[in-house]
Amino acid sequence: MDYTAVYPQDSLPYPFLKMITGTVNIMKERHAALSPSRAGDFKKCPLKFRFRTIDGLPEPPSLAALRGTIVHAVLEKLYDLPALDRIEQAAQELLEPLWAEHIMKDPSVADLFEGPQHRQEWLESARPLISSYFTLENPQNLQPVGRETFINATLPSGLAVRGIIDRIDEAPNGALRVVDYKTGKSPQPRFQDEAIFQMRFYAAALHYSRGRLPARTQLVYLGDGRILTYDPTTADVDVLTAEVDGIWTAILSRIDADHFEPVKGPLCNWCHFQNICPAFGGQAPRMSEAGVSQLLTAQRPTRSGE
């Protein structure tokens, strides 16, 4: 697989100028599906996957995740502006209105802050991330064909997969580029495979849902101003498909055994489920039967099996 860390001056291999026309309304089918984040949960810790995906246990929001949500909203809204108006000042001016809009929709996020000063300091911490974006790409040269695009695909095995892609660009020759924004720092080389898994997943989902394989995928890290790229091939799609099918088989085996084991690691320090995790002396609740039933709808019979 070909993926490299790319610095700002190398981040635009060709112009992306094609305009999207019309609006597509996507009806989400009422079935479960495996997403890259949930598959990643299982790879790191099967029990955490169970708590989140099967049991649906609530987790408190974090300020870091909330900041990521707001910065994503700014970068999405930026592309509503005419191309020549997509400058940093315009993006910075979007921050406070979008935050006000968010807090009106979910007033409970106000409870995350100790007071008005803490909230304002937190909001200001998003501004360097917005500035970082403009060192990596020139949005005046881009015209995405998709933003926050919902992808719902089915693997040959019948397993449903889905995800939401931050941005899709299309070159004049029809080549696609998939872009995902990250508000953290880029991973060290030994952790890049884990980061690229998400983009491999999206590439395969586009291949199966639209019959189109992106020419390039990019993870844009605003925290340290780097871009990690991965150029998928059809052989990579086959490898990813087998990997995801393997994850699903492993999930099914744990459902049959009624046992999802915990895996201890550095990320445990930030896990909300420590108090009910057997690895830390806790007692896991009974697995949700309704959650299992819903999850099993992710795999549908293939034509040969009907």
Side-chain angles (χ1 to χ4, degrees):
M1 288 173 285
D2 176 21
Y3 55 90
T4 53
V6 177
Y7 290 87
Q9 62 269 28
D10 301 318
S11 63
L12 294 173
Y14 41 68
F16 301 89
L17 304 173
K18 190 168 182 180
M19 175 75 82
I20 187 170
T21 58
T23 302
V24 178
N25 292 318
I26 300 174
M27 296 298 293
K28 296 183 180 180
E29 298 179 30
R30 301 181 69 85
H31 63 77
L34 204 59
S35 70
S37 56
R38 296 292 80 85
D41 282 345
F42 183 83
K43 291 170 66 176
K44 295 185 190 78
C45 177
L47 186 58
K48 187 172 187 176
F49 168 87
R50 196 207 102 179
F51 287 157
R52 280 180 164 171
T53 306
I54 296 178
D55 301 326
L57 299 183
E59 295 178 79
S62 72
L63 289 177
L66 182 59
R67 180 170 50 234
T69 297
I70 300 303
V71 171
H72 274 70
V74 168
L75 297 182
E76 180 187 6
K77 195 72 173 177
L78 177 68
Y79 283 94
D80 283 343
L81 301 176
L84 293 180
D85 293 341
R86 296 175 198 152
I87 59 175
E88 182 183 343
Q89 180 181 348
Q92 297 287 5
E93 290 173 353
L94 289 170
L95 179 62
E96 295 211 22
L98 287 173
W99 165 242
E101 183 179 312
H102 184 88
I103 203 168
M104 283 185 64
K105 291 179 180 177
D106 184 10
S108 67
V109 298
D111 297 335
L112 296 173
F113 303 98
E114 297 172 3
Q117 182 177 349
H118 181 211
R119 182 169 61 186
Q120 191 59 36
E121 289 173 353
W122 168 86
L123 189 62
E124 290 300 314
S125 72
R127 296 195 183 278
L129 299 173
I130 296 171
S131 295
S132 177
Y133 174 69
F134 287 84
T135 70
L136 298 168
E137 294 187 310
N138 182 354
Q140 294 179 329
N141 293 338
L142 305 173
Q143 192 60 54
V145 295
R147 286 173 285 153
E148 296 295 315
T149 302
F150 178 80
I151 300 295
N152 194 17
T154 304
L155 304 186
S157 64
L159 177 64
V161 296
R162 66 171 56 131
I164 298 177
I165 299 174
D166 288 343
R167 201 180 83 222
I168 302 176
D169 301 323
E170 185 172 1
N173 65 0
L176 296 181
R177 178 173 72 168
V178 169
V179 178
D180 194 78
Y181 308 122
K182 301 294 184 185
T183 50
K185 294 183 178 181
S186 57
Q188 297 178 14
R190 69 178 185 274
F191 298 122
Q192 287 182 1
D193 283 344
E194 182 178 313
I196 290 295
F197 175 79
Q198 177 185 4
M199 307 312 280
R200 294 170 58 217
F201 197 106
Y202 287 157
L206 282 169
H207 170 76
Y208 288 120
S209 64
R210 302 187 181 185
R212 302 184 68 183
L213 187 66
R216 167 153 292 190
T217 70
Q218 292 187 174
L219 287 163
V220 178
Y221 288 93
L222 305 177
D224 59 358
R226 297 187 71 191
I227 294 179
L228 188 62
T229 72
Y230 154 65
D231 298 341
T233 67
T234 53
D236 294 341
V237 171
D238 292 339
V239 172
L240 185 281
T241 301
E243 182 178 356
V244 173
D245 280 336
I247 290 171
W248 181 247
T249 298
I251 291 169
L252 295 179
S253 70
R254 284 161 175 79
I255 290 175
D256 289 341
D258 192 16
H259 178 69
F260 283 76
E261 74 280 8
V263 175
K264 293 187 74 171
L267 294 179
C268 290
N269 294 328
W270 290 272
C271 182
H272 173 67
F273 303 119
Q274 269 198 30
N275 62 323
I276 57 171
C277 178
F280 291 88
Q283 178 65 47
R286 184 179 179 83
M287 185 162 59
S288 168
E289 293 182 6
V292 169
S293 296
Q294 172 62 16
L295 179 62
L296 293 179
T297 66
Q299 186 162 27
R300 291 167 286 179
T302 58
R303 186 171 299 276
S304 62
E306 292 176 343

